[in-house]
Amino acid sequence: KLNQRKEDEYYGYLTKQKMTGLSPSEADTAKKEFKEFLNCAIAYLEKWFTSSEENWLFCLQPLSLHTAASQISYTDMENVVQRLNLIKWLQLLMDNMYDEFLAFKQVLHELEKAEDWKAKSTPLKWKTVFEATDTLPNMLSVLSFILSIPATTGYVEHIFSHMQNKWNDNRNGCSTELIKSELLVSLNFDLSCADFHTMVLKDRALLTTERRNQKYSWKSA
């Protein structure tokens, strides 16, 4: 669509209306800048989001588990590991991973028989696989790494939005540590203010630590 816009020199209806009020030289300059913008956008998309084999994301497609078990091969796993240079990084044992893959195929074949399998997301499918067997340590390392890569920057932008709300002009004297602490609390607790207050009052260790200005070690859930 962007290529077609560039060929048609279509930059939007309102833009077209605005350009009628420009001089010929100004209109030509504007068109040139619009084309440069589209060229940059197209180049970026082709570099990072193309479906060609040159894109590193291409090799991840078989791991989506959207196709039948027979469609994923050990070569697919090997390509992912090599393309992302994970052998040394994750200290993988490739011979062991081959045996793991054979066991994985058997597990996957059985799991695919479930009625709700196709409706599950990719992370949930892999979670189900690893819950079904504990004999896939190398594959677990690979998939844990891959699935930890965020698909978008949405969550990070969400954090920055929260930070800007807390570190506004009226609170510009707050320290970095205070804002960090507030973000940790607001993003990791789903309790209401009243419930959180009640929880804190019941935690004697926390209250004692706070009075002594010491570091508090949170209990794991």
Side-chain angles (χ1 to χ4, degrees):
K1 290 183 178 180
L2 292 181
N3 281 316
Q4 190 62 51
R5 279 177 176 266
K6 187 177 69 171
E7 291 180 11
D8 295 340
E9 294 188 347
Y10 182 77
Y11 309 114
Y13 179 77
L14 292 178
T15 301
K16 183 178 180 180
Q17 296 299 311
K18 294 287 185 180
M19 289 180 65
T20 58
L22 300 178
S23 65
S25 61
E26 289 175 332
D28 289 340
T29 300
K31 288 182 179 180
K32 182 179 179 180
E33 291 178 351
F34 292 153
K35 285 185 178 180
E36 289 178 354
F37 172 79
L38 288 177
N39 286 333
C40 288
I42 292 169
Y44 179 85
L45 292 173
E46 289 178 344
K47 179 180 179 180
W48 296 107
F49 298 98
T50 179
S51 59
S52 69
E53 295 185 15
E54 296 179 359
N55 190 325
W56 68 273
L57 293 171
F58 181 85
C59 67
L60 301 183
Q61 293 184 63
L63 302 186
S64 66
L65 299 185
H66 291 326
T67 57
S70 59
Q71 299 299 314
I72 182 172
S73 66
Y74 177 72
T75 301
D76 294 325
M77 286 294 301
E78 200 171 48
N79 287 340
V80 170
V81 169
Q82 292 176 347
R83 190 68 183 271
L84 300 181
N85 299 316
L86 297 181
I87 297 178
K88 289 185 178 180
W89 182 263
L90 300 178
Q91 298 182 345
L92 301 174
L93 302 175
M94 298 304 292
D95 290 334
N96 290 1
M97 192 164 77
Y98 177 79
D99 294 331
E100 292 175 20
F101 184 80
L102 297 180
F104 154 74
K105 292 275 284 189
Q106 294 179 348
V107 172
L108 182 60
H109 181 71
E110 293 300 319
L111 293 175
E112 286 179 335
K113 297 178 182 179
E115 294 182 0
D116 63 339
W117 177 258
K118 290 185 178 180
K120 291 183 177 181
S121 64
T122 294
L124 189 55
K125 286 180 178 179
W126 280 108
K127 179 176 181 290
T128 306
V129 169
F130 293 123
E131 286 178 343
T133 177
D134 59 356
T135 60
L136 313 174
N138 289 282
M139 289 187 63
L140 176 60
S141 296
V142 173
L143 268 300
S144 296
F145 178 87
I146 292 172
L147 293 176
S148 69
I149 302 173
T152 69
T153 59
Y155 183 74
V156 176
E157 292 172 1
H158 175 67
I159 301 297
F160 275 103
S161 177
H162 272 278
M163 184 182 70
Q164 290 175 354
N165 290 335
K166 295 181 180 299
W167 215 347
N168 53 41
D169 292 339
N170 295 326
R171 305 185 69 209
N172 56 17
C174 295
S175 66
T176 304
E177 286 300 317
L178 174 61
I179 299 299
K180 176 183 176 182
S181 298
E182 290 185 355
L183 287 173
L184 287 172
V185 171
S186 62
L187 294 170
N188 290 285
F189 284 91
D190 55 2
L191 300 174
S192 65
C193 292
D195 290 338
F196 182 77
H197 181 255
T198 301
M199 182 194 74
V200 170
L201 291 180
K202 292 181 178 179
D203 193 333
R204 293 184 177 276
L206 174 60
L207 295 175
T208 301
T209 302
E210 189 277 331
R211 293 191 188 99
R212 296 176 180 176
N213 198 25
Q214 297 175 339
K215 187 174 180 63
Y216 177 77
S217 298
W218 289 96
K219 300 176 182 178
S220 58

